[in-house]
Amino acid sequence: MTVKVLNQGLLTSIQDLGRYGSQKYGVIVSGAMDKYSLRVANLLVGNNENEGALEVTLLGTSLQFEKDMLIAITGGDLLASIDGEKAPTWRPILVRKGSVLQFKSPLKGCRAYVAFAGGIAVPEVMGSKSTYLRAGIGGFKGRALQKDDVITCGEMNEFSTLLFNQLNKRNGSFTWTVNYDVLINLQQTQTIRVIRGTEFDRFDEKSKRTLFNEPYTLTTQADRMGYRMEGPPLSLAKEFELLSEGVTHGTIQVPPNGNPIILMADRQTTGGYPKIAQIISADLPSMAQLQPTAKIHFKEISYREAEIELLKKEQIINEIKTGIRFKGLYI
């Protein structure tokens, strides 16, 4: 089964949950910016939740299906349409041979995910199908998709085949959908929860108060590597030399100009700027869905609270997984 790229859009790449275990060699993790949406998209078509899927950024991407296929679209609302009609999202859908899926413009959120039953048939590099754009490895020939690329999909498993056959009988999509707003927030003004960074106490008292009391704006300098923010500048209490050390998804660094930088999926493996805070894992997918000009309020929580929030989200994913299995087997 194949899909042809009619228009590559702003940026569309193949991503899974990331390339772990190679940072010691300088190879970044990469992976989906919004991991919750990717996981659910895969579950909706019967795939393993770590299977590769398409990450579509903002607008312009269009795909033509060369066979009847079972897919799911999750993430931000980028006004997806199939043959000009609004496409169902957050549910399994059957797309007919010759149909065109198009993402027109971002209504809410920044990134959408398209999963295909059977996954995407590209080789794993260092255990992952994710595209590492700067190094040119993984995904589709190590790059973003381009016009006239042809994506090959794998064979459907037993459960995917069952879903496909049920949809074929109904000539469309199931009426049930996943309630996504318990997983991600697609609003342009958000409260993002953080824990203190390793250099938090190196900042002056005014900066510590400012971080949690003043809004910051996401600038246009925002990509898969990191988000630059604008707002009241943050300052160290005293200048000091900091050796480069490991950083992770959601680390908030403060360069000399005082405007925070939030590291995202394609972050570097080490960083040398002071780290004032760390976005909690449960809020990273919502952070990934923000568009430039978004307003962010940072809220400090404890390590324990951060763990509880992550466990809540994992429980929701497990409930979605169980629900899909039940509905797929008995509807």
Side-chain angles (χ1 to χ4, degrees):
M1 294 185 289
T2 57
V3 179
K4 184 177 181 180
V5 179
L6 301 181
N7 191 315
Q8 70 271 25
L10 185 64
L11 174 65
T12 302
S13 63
I14 297 170
Q15 302 293 341
D16 56 22
L17 294 182
R19 185 172 286 106
Y20 290 91
S22 297
Q23 284 181 282
K24 59 187 175 184
Y25 305 118
V27 179
I28 66 173
V29 173
S30 197
M33 290 278 279
D34 173 359
K35 288 181 169 55
Y36 291 148
S37 292
L38 177 130
R39 292 169 68 185
V40 173
N42 275 315
L43 291 171
L44 284 167
V45 296
N47 291 344
N48 181 297
E49 59 193 81
N50 187 36
E51 179 56 62
L54 298 187
E55 180 179 87
V56 178
T57 306
L58 289 174
L59 52 84
T61 303
S62 58
L63 310 168
Q64 185 169 46
F65 295 80
E66 300 184 348
K67 271 197 172 184
D68 290 359
M69 294 184 67
L70 175 66
I71 72 167
I73 305 166
T74 60
D77 185 350
L78 308 189
L79 291 181
S81 65
I82 297 174
D83 295 337
E85 299 291 328
K86 182 174 174 58
T89 56
W90 294 91
R91 67 174 78 168
I93 56 177
L94 180 62
V95 182
R96 296 297 184 185
K97 178 181 177 180
S99 293
V100 175
L101 168 63
Q102 182 178 14
F103 294 89
K104 297 178 181 178
S105 61
L107 181 63
K108 292 190 296 183
C110 183
R111 293 173 172 84
Y113 293 84
V114 185
F116 308 94
I120 301 176
V122 293
E124 291 188 357
V125 177
M126 297 182 178
S128 172
K129 294 181 180 180
S130 285
T131 312
Y132 177 4
L133 294 167
R134 285 178 171 84
I137 63 172
F140 189 92
K141 300 180 180 179
R143 59 168 171 77
L145 296 184
Q146 298 176 4
K147 182 180 178 181
D148 295 328
D149 284 344
V150 176
I151 306 164
T152 302
C153 298
E155 295 296 322
M156 292 191 294
N157 60 32
E158 184 179 354
F159 184 68
S160 297
T161 302
L162 175 64
L163 289 174
F164 179 91
N165 290 337
Q166 289 190 0
L167 282 166
N168 201 27
K169 291 177 184 177
R170 290 164 173 76
N171 196 32
S173 65
F174 294 128
T175 56
W176 52 269
T177 60
V178 168
N179 182 22
Y180 69 84
D181 58 8
V182 296
L183 285 174
I184 59 171
N185 185 345
L186 298 180
Q187 302 304 312
Q188 276 290 89
T189 298
Q190 291 195 28
T191 296
I192 298 292
R193 294 164 294 184
V194 302
I195 56 176
R196 295 186 180 191
T198 51
E199 284 78 51
F200 179 84
D201 289 332
R202 298 259 193 174
F203 287 83
D204 60 37
E205 292 302 318
K206 180 182 177 182
S207 295
K208 293 176 186 177
R209 292 192 301 270
T210 296
L211 182 67
F212 302 127
N213 289 285
E214 299 292 338
Y216 283 83
T217 302
L218 177 59
T219 72
T220 54
Q221 291 179 286
D223 58 20
R224 284 183 47 87
M225 186 174 182
Y227 289 174
R228 289 186 179 270
M229 313 298 294
E230 282 185 350
L234 305 172
S235 304
L236 294 168
K238 182 180 179 181
E239 293 296 324
F240 71 101
E241 289 292 327
L242 177 65
L243 295 176
S244 290
E245 57 186 18
V247 291
T248 190
H249 195 174
T251 297
I252 304 177
Q253 294 185 313
V254 182
N257 67 10
N259 284 318
I261 299 172
I262 301 172
L263 302 184
M264 300 301 286
D266 281 358
R267 63 204 175 270
Q268 69 274 25
T269 57
T270 63
Y273 292 137
K275 299 173 287 299
I276 193 169
Q278 172 69 42
I279 296 174
I280 68 170
S281 297
D283 284 0
L284 286 172
S286 297
M287 187 76 209
Q289 290 292 353
L290 291 172
Q291 300 173 23
T293 73
K295 296 289 184 184
I296 299 172
H297 300 265
F298 294 109
K299 177 183 178 181
E300 183 184 8
I301 64 174
S302 68
Y303 283 94
R304 180 57 182 156
E305 289 171 317
E307 290 174 349
I308 290 170
E309 291 304 312
L310 181 59
L311 290 172
K312 285 180 181 176
K313 294 293 178 74
E314 290 303 317
Q315 180 62 34
I316 291 168
I317 293 281
N318 285 331
E319 290 171 358
I320 290 170
K321 187 185 302 186
T322 301
I324 291 168
R325 279 279 168 188
F326 178 80
K327 290 167 181 173
L329 290 171
Y330 296 107
I331 285 181

